[in-house]
Amino acid sequence: VAGQSNSVGVTLGKRWTIRNNLFLNNGSDTDDHTSVFAWVNSVVIDGNTFWEDSPPHTVGKTGGATCYEVHGEFHRVTNNYFYNYTLGMYVASNYTSAVLNTVVANNTFYTSDYGILLFRNQTPASAAVDGVLIEGNAFYFDNYTYSGQPISRAAVAFQGQIATQQLAIKNVKIANNYALAVGTDLFSNFVRWDTVQTVTSLSSNLSVTDNQAIGFTQGVYLLTKSDNGQGYTEISRN
């Protein structure tokens, strides 16, 4: 855990480097394990392997839920390998300041539910999530399912309508990624983007360009609300 507290208004730590480590079979004693919870600013996490021998929610072993969580500005997540977790990464808000300028590049995700999940909590409303570059990654999904799994899996997802406390996320660029989904037991999306329910909060500047996605139910799934809609969006050259 990188962070002294996840309470409201705490001073965030900064300048962590986490490089070339192996996180092996973590979290077998809990149903909500995150291997690195980075509630700090300015993190380089490079060349690490997050590995579970057993698939998620195997009987008698819960195992890893999330490999890495971004909860601060200027995170550089590069050249990592995420295997057999339910979720590769969260990019999400904190309760002190905006989460700005996240780079997720050249990683490999082999997960059951999501590669990267974006999440913005309402507390406080000023704590934005803004500026996320997801580039040059590889995402792989096999046909593995488990009881209680979400209705759809996705390489990149923002679930603005999953709960009323969600607010908009802006300036997200998803480019030059490769994604492969095998099997039809579960719906799958390369990008799943659910606009927020809150009328005063509008997601904008979503760019999905130059990606290759194979075997998914949908390439890009956009779910909007008629009373607030979705801002500027580009889907090109995929």
Side-chain angles (χ1 to χ4, degrees), residues 3 77 91 141:
V77 185
V91 179
F141 297 96

Side-chain angles (χ1 to χ4, degrees), residues 43-62:
V43 180
V44 173
I45 179 156
D46 177 77
N48 301 283
T49 297
F50 298 83
W51 184 284
E52 291 286 326
D53 286 329
S54 301
H57 298 276
T58 302
V59 174
K61 176 184 171 60
T62 300

Side-chain angles (χ1 to χ4, degrees), residues 184-202:
T184 57
D185 287 352
L186 198 67
F187 288 114
S188 57
N189 321 117
F190 170 57
V191 175
R192 183 181 178 92
W193 196 269
D194 297 354
T195 57
V196 291
Q197 296 187 67
T198 307
V199 177
T200 57
S201 188
L202 180 69

Side-chain angles (χ1 to χ4, degrees), residues 124-197:
S126 60
V129 177
D130 193 330
V132 182
L133 174 63
I134 300 170
E135 184 172 32
N137 303 283
F139 301 90
Y140 299 98
F141 297 96
D142 60 21
N143 213 26
Y144 174 78
T145 58
Y146 61 87
S147 177
Q149 192 170 17
I151 62 172
S152 178
R153 55 168 53 108
V156 181
F158 168 57
Q159 294 184 308
Q161 297 186 39
I162 198 170
T164 56
Q165 75 268 20
Q166 292 294 292
L167 290 175
I169 290 177
K170 299 183 178 181
N171 299 306
V172 177
K173 184 174 181 61
I174 303 166
N176 298 300
N177 301 283
Y178 173 84
L180 174 66
V182 176
T184 57
D185 287 352
L186 198 67
F187 288 114
S188 57
N189 321 117
F190 170 57
V191 175
R192 183 181 178 92
W193 196 269
D194 297 354
T195 57
V196 291
Q197 296 187 67

Side-chain angles (χ1 to χ4, degrees), residues 158 168-174 191-196 202-209 211 219-225 228-238:
F158 168 57
I169 290 177
K170 299 183 178 181
N171 299 306
V172 177
K173 184 174 181 61
I174 303 166
V191 175
R192 183 181 178 92
W193 196 269
D194 297 354
T195 57
V196 291
L202 180 69
S203 293
S204 62
N205 298 342
L206 169 65
S207 175
V208 183
T209 59
N211 303 282
V220 179
Y221 180 98
L222 291 173
L223 176 64
T224 63
K225 290 278 288 183
N228 64 341
Q230 164 74 9
Y232 295 117
T233 303
E234 178 189 15
I235 303 170
S236 301
R237 301 181 306 276
N238 301 288

